């Protein structure tokens, strides 16, 4: 199925479209379709990289936690929560 859409471009972008289309026998539709495909591909790659980096950060946090546990520097969760509650009760409310 083919869909027809209307796009509004500023002069600079339209000239760029014309210039790129000249290389493809004046086919502006081809240029726009390829630009959308390239944009979508870039978004998929960036999403995958974000996911990979997130996993790397989680792995690093786990490694830091394991190192703290093995060296006796781990603070128990209950103690952390108690400290947070103490600070919250001392801070002035606005």
């Amino acid at each position: 199925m083919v869909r027809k859409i209307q796009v509004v471009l500023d002069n600079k972008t339209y000239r760029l479209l014309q210039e790129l289309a000249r290389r493809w026998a004046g086919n502006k539709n081809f240029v726009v379709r390829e630009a959308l495909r390239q944009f979508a591909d870039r978004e998929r790659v960036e999403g995958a990289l974000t996911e990979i980096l997130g996993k790397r950060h989680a792995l690093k946090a786990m490694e830091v936690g394991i190192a703290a546990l093995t060296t006796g520097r781990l603070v128990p969760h209950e103690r952390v929560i108690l400290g947070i509650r103490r600070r919250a009760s001392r801070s002035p409310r606005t």
Side-chain angles (χ1 to χ4, degrees):
M1 177 190 300
V2 176
R3 303 258 183 193
K4 190 173 188 177
I5 65 167
Q6 182 177 2
V7 178
V8 178
L9 303 174
D10 58 63
N11 287 333
K12 183 178 179 181
T13 306
Y14 184 74
R15 283 192 302 273
L16 178 60
L17 176 60
Q18 286 179 311
E19 178 184 323
L20 291 169
R22 261 185 242 125
R23 299 177 193 167
W24 298 98
N27 193 338
K28 293 176 191 151
N29 291 318
F30 174 81
V31 173
V32 172
R33 281 192 304 271
E34 280 302 303
L36 286 171
R37 287 182 184 121
Q38 292 287 330
F39 183 80
D41 287 346
R42 188 181 78 204
E43 289 291 307
R44 279 190 287 275
V45 168
E46 287 179 5
L49 289 174
T50 298
E51 186 177 335
I52 289 167
L53 290 174
K55 288 177 182 175
R56 285 177 52 192
H57 289 301
L59 181 59
K60 180 65 178 170
M62 286 187 274
E63 290 170 348
V64 168
I66 291 168
L69 177 64
T70 57
T71 59
R73 295 179 294 118
L74 187 68
V75 178
H77 178 75
E78 296 79 17
R79 191 166 143 204
V80 171
I81 296 300
L82 184 61
I84 291 171
R85 287 184 179 148
R86 283 183 184 153
R87 284 191 200 109
S89 67
R90 287 185 290 197
S91 66
R93 307 244 185 240
T94 56

